[in-house]
Amino acid sequence: MATAPSSSKPQKISIRAEEWDRRLHEVQITKHDLNRLIMDYLVVEGYKAAAEEFSQEANLSPDVDLDSIESRMNIRDALHRGDIEDAIARVNDLNPEILDTNPALYFHLQQQRLIEYIREGRIAEALQFAQAELAPRGEESPEFLSELEKTMALLAFDVMPSAPPGISELLSHAQRMKTAGEVNAAILESLGQPKDVKLDGLLKLLEWGEKELSDRAEYPRLHL
Amino acid sequence: MGRVRQGVLIAGDGRDTVSLVLETSAMSRPARSASIPIPRNTVTSSSARNIESVISLPFGSSPFTPSPRSRGPQPIPIAQNRSAEEQRTSVRNVRGSSSVATSISPTRPAARSLTHSSPNLITRSSPRSSPFEPRVIRAESVRVATIDPACLSTSPSSSLPRTRRPSSTVTTPRVSSSHRNPSGITQTTPALQLPTFARPTYLEESALRHLLQTEAPPSISPHRKSAQSNQRSLSSSSDSDEEGSPPPRRRNPTSYASPDVLRLPTRWSETYRNDLLSISADGRDITFQGASCNGDKEAAAARTTRPIPPACGIYYYEVDIISKGNKGHISIGFGGKDVKLSRLPGWEPNSWGYHGDDGCSFAAEKTGSPFGPTYGTGDTIGCGIDFSANQAFFTKNGSFIGTVFKDVGKTMDLYPSIGLRHSGEAIRVNFGQDKFHFEIDFYVQQRRTQTWSDIMATKVSTSLLSSAGPSSVKIAATQEQTRGAINKLVLSYLAHHGYSKTARAFQKQSQRPSRDLDVDMDNGSDDALGMDGDMERRTQIVNSVIQGDIDTALADTRKHYPNVLTVDEGLMLFKLRCRKFIELLLETTELKKQMDVEMSSMKPPGGAIDDDEMGMDIDEDALPLVDVVINPPSETPRSSKDKLEAALNQAIHYGQSMLNDYSSDKRPEVQSLFKRTVGIVAFHDPIAHGGVAAEIARPEARNELANELNQAILRSQGRPPQPALETIFRHTAACVHQLGMIGVGAAAFADIQKEFLSDTPQ
């Protein structure tokens, strides 16, 4: 990330600690607001047991049926395990339209499946699966094709450490989480629920705000 | 708040202000001075002066304000023609309206206290009078306003526009309503017939909308037009008046305090205009008068009185071309504060414009770039400045032309501006007074959504939440790292507030995936979070307080966290004991109520004498502490009476022991809380009574105390008194707010309340 030299900027304003404290104090936020942010996180991320306890302890009713978390989490667990077939079956059980109406998601699930074949060294199956399922989709869109090529490149690198980072990361757990996150978001969307975790957004806004403000002002920085 | 602060200042200035003067002295004033502020040193009754100067605040920007020296030789017709009747009317209107001026007038609280006698209010405005002697205060309430004007600051400052919970003073709703509804000001100027206008709806997309305000147009009295021509020199000397309170950026770069209101442009400036242009009374029409400019260099320009607050995110205005004259050589655009007025916007440095004769856009250049269609008579041209993208856009007759210019609004305040060149050219501007031709609301919504998703594309860096503090080296955190950080925040939040079952369930589940996959989720150790049983102990104590069981809370705190009670010279212990005393008193209130019920059910009809006696016994106010031990009528059931007596004795005994323990503690905090606590003895039913008594006695006060105790316990363990999540939220909100105030347009579209706290997903 490019950081502009601060000397070229106009003079920074400076905000004294007392003034800043006053501003912090003026921010409108209640315990109830924060509780709801927590509940949002527990629900979206599928912490069902915690969400149930929290609705009791904080006397807060979640906006959604907590049972719907269960099926979402089973799907996520399957993806985290690498059991893509199970996950796809479960998604279709829940609502077949999710994958029908979302070709990119379906492609990424199939791609994940291919990755799992390669990870397990089932090369022949991987090839067959790629040719039968993924290649036709690759022709549909250049984006899919490039993803497919990247995935197939995994086969070329027998010894993993030599693979370029962009390719070897496909085998990481983060890739599984990424796919699982996509599926989770699609299911939430199909249920008409917000798919982004608000706490996630809060951290992004904090990152953005800290950067922008520190370019322009001297002020007391966040201290946890 | 600027107004509030000024109001306070005035209150402090006029120490002799008396509440009752408002009508009488204003009536006797020789001139109506809303448009003619009397200089400070004039020999006028100070109260009237105060009121008038407060009233004139919203109009303080008047460029036509004659300077003091002009008033002598030049009689002001309106003042003399106005009958006393009219003056009274206008004063009454001012009083009756919900204007900021009246609501912050120092006379207000006192006037109210005469009729309502809210002890709450009185205590706030005059801590010197004893709060637990309501009757006495009633008699003193006139003095209250005069004693200590500085005390008044407590009331306005507690009614900041951003404060969600309204303070309990009577004045608060007035202040906030007028902050949010600038059109309320209209009512204060019934004689002027010049409508102000509400904030345009597209500005609702700005997170700082509550600060953005239109203003009343300068009060223009009939004498203005005649005065106008020969007062050019005067008006140009009143620049500082006209500038009013522009955003403080670059004004004072070394120290920064946020302004409280951001004024929107509402009219063309009489000062910053070329002499060849004449401006209509309402400040919206510009007509080119006199000989057309010769050559290619000359022109006549004008700008608005106020700059555009970048906190708008996007600002938009439209210009109707009433007549394009012969050539339609008109430029619509914007520029800095001191751009030459003899040139078209776009020709000069720090100016930008879209020209009607050739459709070119100009950004500080002699030759423009082809941009849009030409325009002329009957066309409506819209000009938008997008501070989130630092560019501009134009519309014609409601259709979008395109975006144009770069780096707009980054380094200077911008003013809508206009340039004409030829005789007969005339335009009329719409700053939001009328409906816009272009669907600006929809456009701004889209831009807001886009800006928000751009911000949400920010990659969280690993250093963001590290204890080492922010670092200049930004490494994007992986999804797992972010997840881990959030889990930590959630868990520490749950532990902080003692949601122990949730915390355990969460901990169990969040650590599950990390087991098999060798990912360090780092949820923090049990010990660090106090999940080793400490959390339950703390929760139990807190719950004891919430239930009013102070004895148990005290005993448990003494057992597990003895430091909490001794730190700060036992301040926490004192607070808990105060609450204990209140609980004892509340118990007597309950018993008394019970007894009343029993009595009324047993008593034969016609017990008028008993009623009277009872009435005396429970008389709410000002009974000395001992007298509260009452003599109930003999037919009261024995058990109830005994219970009540015992409870009262216990309460009084407890109060006396506290008096012994704390009378020598001279800390103001201790003394004031003690007074307020003991003060509720005076009330038959403190909670029902309202005011300060209820505030201190009501069950919510238990929650506040419980929260305080929780924080004290956490602090005694070296933990933050506020959950990290709350700190983060406050810090983020403050950052974004600050950015919006210093001109980062994108921040205006980052509405933290709406995005994260609103009920409905966007």
Side-chain angles (χ1 to χ4, degrees):
Chain A
M1 198 176 295
T3 45
S6 58
S7 56
S8 73
K9 298 261 174 187
Q11 202 177 355
K12 283 188 183 184
I13 61 167
S14 117
I15 303 162
R16 284 173 299 117
E18 310 92 83
E19 167 72 10
W20 188 250
D21 281 349
R22 195 176 63 78
R23 300 233 143 253
L24 293 181
H25 187 71
E26 272 177 17
V27 170
Q28 294 174 12
I29 183 78
T30 64
K31 190 173 168 187
H32 179 71
D33 290 333
L34 291 168
N35 283 350
R36 288 183 50 209
L37 285 176
I38 297 281
M39 183 59 102
D40 170 78
Y41 180 73
L42 297 178
V43 168
V44 174
E45 288 300 301
Y47 294 104
K48 187 181 178 228
E52 279 166 351
E53 294 287 3
F54 196 55
S55 74
Q56 293 287 319
E57 282 189 303
N59 191 22
L60 194 71
S61 56
D63 300 335
V64 295
D65 177 13
L66 290 178
D67 289 334
S68 74
I69 295 177
E70 187 95 53
S71 47
R72 221 160 20 92
M73 288 314 103
N74 287 336
I75 293 165
R76 190 182 68 173
D77 289 350
L79 289 167
H80 282 177
R81 279 198 314 272
D83 191 346
I84 312 302
E85 278 159 83
D86 184 40
I88 291 178
R90 283 173 184 275
V91 172
N92 281 330
D93 278 354
L94 196 68
N95 182 355
E97 288 209 347
I98 294 172
L99 294 181
D100 284 352
T101 55
N102 204 334
L105 181 66
Y106 187 61
F107 178 83
H108 286 145
L109 276 168
Q110 298 290 48
Q111 180 193 17
Q112 190 67 42
R113 203 163 156 188
L114 177 60
I115 293 168
E116 301 301 339
Y117 278 134
I118 295 170
R119 190 200 309 275
E120 290 164 24
R122 294 153 74 181
I123 304 303
E125 280 166 277
L127 278 176
Q128 200 198 343
F129 179 74
Q131 286 159 8
E133 296 286 337
L134 284 168
R137 295 188 174 269
E139 286 162 12
E140 287 169 15
S141 115
E143 189 199 331
F144 290 173
L145 189 62
S146 116
E147 286 289 323
L148 179 59
E149 285 165 359
K150 216 169 93 180
T151 314
M152 295 311 285
L154 281 174
L155 288 168
F157 297 95
D158 282 319
V159 190
M160 273 329 133
S162 67
I167 289 170
S168 65
E169 76 186 9
L170 290 174
L171 287 173
S172 69
H173 183 62
Q175 177 67 25
R176 280 180 176 174
M177 283 182 75
K178 193 176 150 202
T179 309
E182 252 182 273
V183 174
N184 193 34
I187 297 173
L188 285 166
E189 210 161 21
S190 78
L191 294 170
Q193 292 168 21
K195 61 182 164 51
D196 297 317
V197 178
K198 287 179 179 169
L199 287 181
D200 219 23
L202 181 63
L203 292 190
K204 287 172 176 169
L205 186 60
L206 173 65
E207 178 85 39
W208 180 81
E210 283 266 277
K211 171 169 187 328
E212 296 288 321
L213 192 57
S214 60
D215 285 350
R216 294 169 174 83
E218 301 291 346
Y219 67 103
R221 305 300 292 272
L222 176 65
H223 187 78
L224 288 177
Chain B
M1 233 168 47
R3 293 168 170 184
V4 172
R5 213 177 291 134
Q6 292 183 53
V8 170
L9 196 111
I10 288 154
D13 179 50
R15 298 185 72 85
D16 50 342
T17 304
V18 175
S19 59
L20 302 174
V21 186
L22 187 62
E23 273 168 291
T24 50
S25 68
M27 272 165 61
S28 63
R29 287 206 14 76
R32 186 186 169 281
S33 56
S35 60
I36 307 141
I38 306 299
R40 288 269 153 181
N41 53 4
T42 318
V43 194
T44 337
S45 119
S46 66
S47 59
R49 189 185 72 210
N50 289 338
I51 293 157
E52 296 290 357
S53 45
V54 170
I55 289 169
S56 68
L57 277 178
F59 318 105
S61 63
S62 165
F64 312 114
T65 305
S67 71
R69 62 198 135 98
S70 75
R71 286 191 306 113
Q74 215 170 22
I76 293 145
I78 185 170
Q80 288 169 350
N81 294 341
R82 284 177 71 89
S83 67
E85 171 73 24
E86 271 179 290
Q87 289 170 35
R88 212 174 309 130
T89 313
S90 75
V91 169
R92 207 182 301 129
N93 282 336
V94 168
R95 288 196 72 218
S97 76
S98 60
S99 84
V100 176
T102 34
S103 60
I104 61 168
S105 157
T107 62
R108 203 72 197 165
R112 292 301 284 244
S113 69
L114 281 170
T115 48
H116 287 232
S117 94
S118 155
N120 171 19
L121 196 113
I122 288 160
T123 323
R124 275 169 181 273
S125 50
S126 174
R128 285 187 205 174
S129 42
S130 327
F132 48 89
E133 293 175 335
R135 274 181 178 164
V136 182
I137 285 161
R138 218 171 284 171
E140 287 181 342
S141 55
V142 174
R143 192 171 61 83
V144 163
T146 68
I147 295 176
D148 194 351
C151 298
L152 289 167
S153 64
T154 52
S155 163
S157 72
S158 66
S159 57
L160 303 171
R162 284 175 58 78
T163 310
R164 179 187 288 172
R165 191 183 310 145
S167 89
S168 45
T169 60
V170 189
T171 53
T172 300
R174 292 175 159 268
V175 171
S176 57
S177 75
S178 53
H179 267 291
R180 282 176 188 148
N181 178 19
S183 63
I185 292 166
T186 317
Q187 299 162 13
T188 67
T189 60
L192 299 176
Q193 302 294 328
L194 277 176
T196 78
F197 57 100
R199 178 173 58 227
T201 52
Y202 73 88
L203 291 173
E204 294 303 310
E205 297 293 323
S206 165
L208 298 163
R209 55 190 164 274
H210 57 286
L211 298 177
L212 300 170
Q213 291 191 9
T214 58
E215 55 174 345
S219 43
I220 298 161
S221 38
H223 76 276
R224 186 190 75 84
K225 279 187 179 130
S226 59
Q228 183 193 343
S229 51
N230 52 10
Q231 283 192 352
R232 290 288 299 143
S233 60
L234 290 178
S235 53
S236 60
S237 72
S238 66
D239 286 351
S240 56
D241 273 1
E242 180 177 69
E243 291 311 309
S245 52
R249 43 190 200 138
R250 285 165 303 279
R251 275 290 158 97
N252 187 356
T254 49
S255 79
Y256 181 82
S258 285
D260 319 301
V261 166
L262 302 170
R263 297 262 178 227
L264 295 161
T266 53
R267 58 166 296 134
W268 299 117
S269 167
E270 278 285 349
T271 311
Y272 285 90
R273 62 158 171 98
N274 192 286
D275 282 344
L276 295 169
L277 303 179
S278 89
I279 292 173
S280 64
D282 66 2
R284 292 177 60 187
D285 294 18
I286 292 185
T287 311
F288 191 101
Q289 287 182 332
S292 302
C293 296
N294 295 321
D296 286 341
K297 289 180 181 169
E298 294 297 303
R303 66 155 170 84
T304 52
T305 52
R306 298 191 183 281
I308 304 164
C312 293
I314 290 177
Y315 182 78
Y316 182 76
Y317 73 99
E318 284 183 350
V319 173
D320 293 334
I321 313 299
I322 295 170
S323 166
K324 71 167 200 169
N326 290 332
K327 298 189 176 164
H329 210 152
I330 297 172
S331 173
I332 293 167
F334 47 91
K337 184 170 182 284
D338 292 312
V339 176
K340 255 192 218 165
L341 297 171
S342 56
R343 303 272 288 158
L344 286 184
W347 284 351
E348 282 291 296
N350 298 334
S351 76
W352 294 262
Y354 166 35
H355 290 202
D357 60 328
D358 56 6
C360 283
S361 67
F362 288 71
E365 57 198 341
K366 290 194 175 62
T367 44
S369 320
F371 170 63
T374 60
Y375 56 83
T377 308
D379 286 330
T380 299
I381 300 302
C383 172
I385 296 112
D386 185 342
F387 292 93
S388 69
N390 294 108
Q391 62 186 13
F393 60 90
F394 287 93
T395 68
K396 183 182 174 185
N397 298 331
S399 303
F400 193 73
I401 298 173
T403 57
V404 65
F405 307 139
K406 276 187 293 188
D407 297 331
V408 165
K410 276 190 171 171
T411 54
M412 77 190 84
D413 289 336
L414 294 177
Y415 297 73
S417 63
I418 189 109
L420 308 177
R421 297 194 68 210
H422 297 285
S423 178
E425 290 168 346
I427 60 97
R428 179 169 174 78
V429 74
N430 175 14
F431 292 118
Q433 288 98 335
D434 305 325
K435 192 179 183 311
F436 289 117
H437 284 65
F438 177 61
E439 283 291 341
I440 185 64
D441 292 36
F442 181 63
Y443 182 80
V444 177
Q445 272 164 29
Q446 282 184 315
R447 285 290 313 151
R448 191 191 80 86
T449 308
Q450 180 60 45
T451 306
W452 179 248
S453 61
D454 288 351
I455 293 173
M456 285 297 103
T458 307
K459 295 264 184 270
V460 172
S461 66
T462 50
S463 64
L464 182 68
L465 301 176
S466 76
S467 47
S471 131
S472 52
V473 187
K474 301 277 183 196
I475 303 161
T478 65
Q479 204 183 356
E480 282 156 293
Q481 282 168 324
T482 311
R483 202 52 71 235
I486 295 180
N487 281 350
K488 214 165 150 182
L489 283 177
V490 169
L491 195 59
S492 70
Y493 179 85
L494 295 171
H496 181 103
H497 285 304
Y499 297 125
S500 49
K501 286 180 187 160
T502 312
R504 293 202 184 289
F506 179 73
Q507 198 181 29
K508 205 171 149 197
Q509 210 180 343
S510 64
Q511 282 175 346
R512 204 173 49 194
S514 64
R515 261 201 324 256
D516 4 307
L517 292 156
D518 192 30
V519 176
D520 180 19
M521 299 290 272
D522 186 21
N523 276 326
S525 65
D526 280 7
D527 186 48
L529 288 163
M531 291 195 40
D532 47 357
D534 174 83
M535 181 167 62
E536 273 88 354
R537 278 196 295 276
R538 188 160 43 84
T539 310
Q540 208 172 5
I541 291 173
V542 166
N543 283 337
S544 296
V545 176
I546 289 172
Q547 282 148 25
D549 186 355
I550 308 295
D551 283 341
T552 307
L554 265 173
D556 288 350
T557 308
R558 195 166 276 132
K559 186 170 160 202
H560 299 295
Y561 312 102
N563 286 344
V564 170
L565 299 177
T566 53
V567 81
D568 287 336
E569 297 171 56
L571 191 61
M572 198 66 230
L573 175 64
F574 168 68
K575 286 178 178 172
L576 286 165
R577 289 188 66 186
C578 282
R579 185 69 214 178
K580 161 84 176 162
F581 179 66
I582 290 168
E583 296 296 344
L584 288 171
L585 283 172
L586 291 179
E587 210 180 305
T588 67
T589 303
E590 280 312 303
L591 285 169
K592 223 185 295 183
K593 273 189 200 161
Q594 233 173 53
M595 203 172 76
D596 289 353
V597 171
E598 282 171 28
M599 268 180 58
S600 63
S601 63
M602 342 187 13
K603 231 181 341 166
I609 299 166
D610 292 340
D611 277 353
D612 276 352
E613 272 180 40
M614 205 50 204
M616 273 185 63
D617 288 335
I618 60 162
D619 194 2
E620 67 281 24
D621 302 329
L623 285 173
L625 207 132
V626 252
D627 281 4
V628 180
V629 185
I630 54 171
N631 271 329
S634 50
E635 54 268 62
T636 310
R638 208 66 217 163
S639 59
S640 293
K641 193 186 140 195
D642 287 351
K643 263 197 235 161
L644 176 59
E645 215 162 290
L648 274 169
N649 278 329
Q650 200 193 349
I652 285 156
H653 184 74
Y654 196 84
Q656 282 165 347
S657 78
M658 282 190 74
L659 192 65
N660 277 337
D661 294 348
Y662 293 106
S663 58
S664 59
D665 193 334
K666 293 299 177 212
R667 281 180 287 175
E669 194 182 359
V670 169
Q671 286 305 317
S672 121
L673 178 59
F674 190 58
K675 262 191 201 166
R676 268 184 291 147
T677 304
V678 176
I680 75 162
V681 173
F683 299 99
H684 170 51
D685 186 347
I687 296 179
H689 185 89
V692 167
E695 203 170 278
I696 198 166
R698 70 205 162 108
E700 286 87 340
R702 285 180 183 166
N703 295 349
E704 283 153 26
L705 182 65
N707 191 34
E708 229 178 297
L709 181 56
N710 188 34
Q711 291 181 353
I713 294 174
L714 288 165
R715 208 180 282 123
S716 79
Q717 297 171 321
R719 296 191 195 145
Q722 178 173 283
L725 178 60
E726 185 176 340
T727 308
I728 287 176
F729 189 95
R730 289 183 184 279
H731 192 86
T732 307
C735 275
V736 173
H737 181 81
Q738 213 72 344
L739 284 168
M741 298 303 280
I742 60 177
V744 179
F749 292 149
D751 192 333
I752 191 166
Q753 299 279 337
K754 196 154 145 188
E755 300 292 347
F756 299 135
L757 303 183
S758 74
D759 287 315
T760 46
Q762 53 297 44

